[in-house]
Amino acid sequence: MASSRRDLAVRAAVDQGLLSAAEPVVALLDTAGIRASAAALTSAFAAVTDAPVLHAFAVKACPLVPVLRLLREAGLGVEVASPGELALARAAGVPPADTVLDSPAKTPAELRQALALGIAVNADNLQELARLDALVASAPTASPLGIRVNPQVGAGSIGALSTATATSKFGVALRDEGARKAVVQACLERPWLTRLHTHTGSQGVPLALMAEGVGEAYALAEDINHAAGRQQIDTLDIGGGLPVDFHSDEETPTYAEYARLLADTVPGLFDGRYGLVTEFGRSLLAKHGTVLARVEYTKTSGGRPIAVTHAGVQLATRTVYAPDAWPLRVLAYDSEGRPRTGEVTVQDVAGPACFAGDLLATGRALPLLHQGDVVAVPDTGAYYFAHHYAYNSLPRPGIHGFTVTGGGAGSGNGGAGGDAGGAGSGSDDAGGAGVVAFTTVRKPQTLAEIVAESGGALADALVG
Ligand SMILES: *Cc1c(COP(=O)(O)O)cnc(C)c1O
């Protein structure tokens, strides 16, 4: 998110009472930023190929209906991996023709529904192909059908997110004894199998390794088509996985860099013989989400200052449990929502949950936080606040989209320059520099909802 837009939004969230003593944690989504990322993705691929490309947003990254609707309006489809995600996509109005189903554990009922709707399905394995055999034989379907392959090109820096290791649970492991031949044979026996799918990247996987995985899938498609004597594989689904910079406001690597790398390393991919599907998630949303939380108390422990805030494990689960793999920035604002200045002090920023490890940041150098201050946690638009973890029955926070008009801060797409004075982070009074309008994307969870979702209507279940 452009820092000038973020500063305006923090100030406005406090001014307009979105963040308050009663509502001490909220999440913000920068609508203009999301639009800009969707446009950057579309134009990056349009610059390297005339082939038809469906950019299917991985719903997993930000499962919110208004976000899916916004991306839909920007021309994107969706990639879903569960009945819940499919329901969200349908609620957002995404048509089946622009929907791809990918989960590794699809039930027969899920497959039947997908084929009845005409949603594209990527089978994860050969057993799933056998299920598809029966369904395809029993009723005609408009669903394009594919199979996921694991090129086994290796891991990135985060093991849990490395999908293309030798022993990954996803897809058919191509380098295993006999596996590649089995996939070719499976395709030759099934004229309706027209797609190959691979998703080799994710946070921590270098672009070159992602491109290598795509190259393996492309080579396999060429082999299948050669063996079939026709263009049986007509579409390659190259997955998502573009990593995100969690250390600054930079939006790197860019889609343009990745598309250019693919064009250089797998040129046949873009020559028009193959339709393409992409499945980016984190890179479309991460930079456009920010959590705001009030500092409830400050103290020192063992000589170290600690700010106890309302943002912790419930919305930054990965960071709290695996802080080295998932560091997040923390930005300090005063109680009015102005960037906090003052002496930089090494301190801990803690969350509200009742276990000692609930820390957003440990030993972080920041202007010393005070009671009533606001901390902003940027880069949390994907896999963070939309992925609530119900520890301590902490409520899901409200999520609000925002737009900025006027003051030169309105329509920038992440660039730092160009703001005509007043909107900068050092400004004492951002009012007049840009008007921030919020719209609710998800309401905060109520206590009544927590009770209802926790068996409230079944209170006698264990005593009756
Ligand atoms: C998670 C996932 C994605 C999205 O990955 P990002 O790293 O968020 O871009 C795409 N495709 C599949 C199959 C996935 O499992």
Side-chain angles (χ1 to χ4, degrees):
M1 172 180 312
S3 63
S4 57
R5 280 211 298 274
R6 178 171 54 232
D7 287 349
L8 288 169
V10 175
R11 186 75 202 275
V14 174
D15 266 359
Q16 297 181 29
L18 218 60
L19 185 74
S20 64
E23 197 71 52
V25 55
V26 297
L28 305 182
L29 283 169
D30 177 0
T31 311
I34 298 170
R35 278 188 212 280
S37 285
L41 170 60
T42 307
S43 59
F45 279 77
V48 295
T49 184
D50 294 326
V53 187
L54 171 67
H55 294 293
F57 171 65
V59 171
K60 176 182 66 185
C62 191
L64 297 167
V65 173
V67 168
L68 304 183
R69 174 68 62 85
L70 173 66
L71 293 173
R72 170 85 209 133
E73 293 215 335
L76 273 58
V78 290
E79 185 262 357
V80 299
S82 71
E85 289 181 0
L86 176 57
L88 298 181
R90 299 186 77 191
V94 183
D98 292 336
T99 303
V100 179
L101 173 64
D102 269 350
S103 109
K106 305 173 204 79
T107 62
E110 268 182 277
L111 289 170
R112 199 173 311 112
Q113 182 197 23
L115 266 60
L117 289 168
I119 288 168
V121 175
N122 290 313
D124 179 80
N125 55 62
L126 300 174
Q127 288 181 351
E128 194 174 335
L129 281 186
R131 285 185 175 174
L132 289 177
D133 282 337
L135 289 168
V136 167
S138 70
T141 176
S143 293
L145 300 172
I147 181 153
R148 178 167 183 171
V149 296
N150 170 12
Q152 291 167 298
V153 290
S157 62
I158 305 176
L161 267 76
S162 295
T163 47
T165 58
T167 56
S168 160
K169 74 171 183 177
F170 294 112
V172 179
L174 279 187
R175 292 183 189 176
D176 283 12
E177 180 82 39
R180 199 171 195 280
K181 239 173 124 183
V183 172
V184 175
Q185 192 55 35
C187 289
L188 296 178
E189 288 164 3
R190 294 173 178 81
W192 43 264
L193 202 51
T194 57
R195 294 185 167 191
L196 290 182
H197 172 220
T198 189
H199 168 63
T200 47
S202 221
Q203 191 65 23
V205 176
L207 291 195
L209 197 62
M210 292 171 60
E212 198 183 323
V214 172
E216 296 282 331
Y218 168 78
L220 176 60
E222 293 283 275
D223 286 356
I224 292 166
N225 290 342
H226 187 257
R230 67 185 183 98
Q231 175 97 22
Q232 176 172 343
I233 302 298
D234 61 16
T235 299
L236 289 164
D237 181 336
I238 63 172
L242 198 73
V244 159
D245 180 353
F246 284 99
H247 297 284
S248 77
D249 283 324
E250 288 283 309
E251 294 191 37
T252 52
T254 63
Y255 292 118
E257 282 170 60
Y258 184 46
R260 174 59 34 218
L261 177 67
L262 287 173
D264 290 345
T265 54
V266 200
L269 186 66
F270 290 145
D271 66 13
R273 288 174 300 137
Y274 292 96
L276 295 164
V277 178
T278 74
E279 304 171 344
F280 294 101
R282 178 179 292 105
S283 53
L284 279 162
L285 258 296
K287 303 303 282 185
H288 310 306
T290 299
V291 169
L292 306 185
R294 279 170 55 99
V295 176
E296 195 68 51
Y297 299 109
T298 57
K299 54 163 75 168
T300 60
S301 178
R304 176 173 297 178
I306 302 174
V308 179
T309 78
H310 286 275
V313 75
Q314 85 276 31
L315 38 73
T317 315
R318 280 181 169 162
T319 297
V320 168
Y321 286 125
D324 295 335
W326 297 103
L328 283 170
R329 291 181 290 155
V330 176
L331 308 173
Y333 294 82
D334 66 16
S335 60
E336 310 284 303
R338 289 173 300 217
R340 177 162 273 300
T341 50
E343 207 186 325
V344 168
T345 309
V346 171
Q347 56 200 301
D348 288 358
V349 181
C354 295
F355 69 100
D358 187 27
L359 298 166
L360 276 185
T362 306
R364 191 69 63 85
L366 286 172
L368 185 65
L369 288 161
H370 295 68
Q371 189 174 28
D373 277 1
V374 174
V375 293
V377 190
D379 310 329
T380 47
Y383 304 104
Y384 279 104
F385 53 74
H387 293 61
H388 188 74
Y389 175 56
Y391 201 95
N392 275 149
S393 299
L394 290 164
R396 289 188 287 268
I399 301 174
H400 308 275
F402 74 89
T403 53
V404 182
T405 47
S411 58
N413 62 357
D419 289 351
S425 57
S427 161
D428 254 351
D429 182 4
V435 177
V436 180
F438 294 103
T439 56
T440 299
V441 169
R442 185 184 75 187
K443 289 184 183 164
Q445 189 181 27
T446 64
L447 295 182
E449 285 168 337
I450 291 178
V451 172
E453 290 170 27
S454 305
L458 309 169
D460 287 333
L462 301 177
V463 295

